[in-house]
Amino acid sequence: MKLRINGQDHELDVAPGMPLLWVLRDKLRLTGTKYGCGIAQCGACTVQIDGQARRSCVTPAEAVEGSDIRTIEGLEGAAAEAVQAAWLALDVPQCGYCQSGQIMSAVALLEQQDSPSDQEIEGAMAGNLCRCNCYVRIRQAVRDAAQAKGEA
Ligand code: FES
Ligand code: FES
């Protein structure tokens, strides 16, 4: 199987049905993408597939052959920079476990929409749970990043 991840092609020997998350973490050691629930309920495993936030724990690797796969290790561009800056400025993370997934969802949103409404932010981020309950800072950081990107 050939997967394009963070701009690089990888030839991989992958068992049929293996979730993308396992390929990323166990075969490629891209451990920034986290395993939380394994059943598409927490968002810790969020990556971008052709620019869309997707749950890698329930995405079979063979389903994304030929797609552009992006993980937290490969984030770049104006939206990613704005999100990283806002996250740092607000000191968003607590334990950090959910944060890779939160950031992947936030960047996907801001790459598609320049000034999302609070409702649109809520809709885009609702599938990313945070057991440390950092939701107020996360939502504010997305708003700040959208504003900063708009002003850049
Ligand atoms: S690990 Fe994929 S959504 Fe929880
Ligand atoms: S910062 Fe701990 S789970 Fe979100």
Side-chain angles (χ1 to χ4, degrees), residues 92-113:
V92 170
Q94 198 161 314
C95 82
Y97 201 82
C98 72
Q99 295 292 318
S100 159
Q102 304 278 359
I103 287 170
M104 295 307 289
S105 290
V107 172
L109 172 67
L110 297 191
E111 283 177 344
Q112 286 157 27
Q113 269 180 286

Side-chain angles (χ1 to χ4, degrees), residues 30-95:
L30 292 169
T31 54
T33 306
K34 302 302 184 198
Y35 171 66
C37 65
I39 53 170
Q41 297 295 309
C42 75
C45 66
T46 304
V47 298
Q48 289 173 13
I49 309 291
D50 296 327
Q52 304 290 323
R54 292 265 297 270
R55 308 291 181 246
S56 62
C57 69
V58 292
T59 302
E62 65 256 34
V64 291
E65 269 197 285
S67 293
D68 185 27
I69 301 161
R70 204 147 49 123
T71 71
I72 189 84
E73 291 88 350
L75 272 190
E76 58 184 10
E81 284 170 21
V83 165
Q84 281 178 320
W87 245 250
L88 281 172
L90 289 181
D91 204 9
V92 170
Q94 198 161 314
C95 82

Side-chain angles (χ1 to χ4, degrees), residues 129-143:
L129 305 185
C130 176
R131 65 188 172 185
C132 301
N133 209 16
C134 299
Y135 295 109
V136 172
R137 288 202 300 276
I138 291 167
R139 301 298 189 269
Q140 187 59 49
V142 178
R143 283 194 289 270

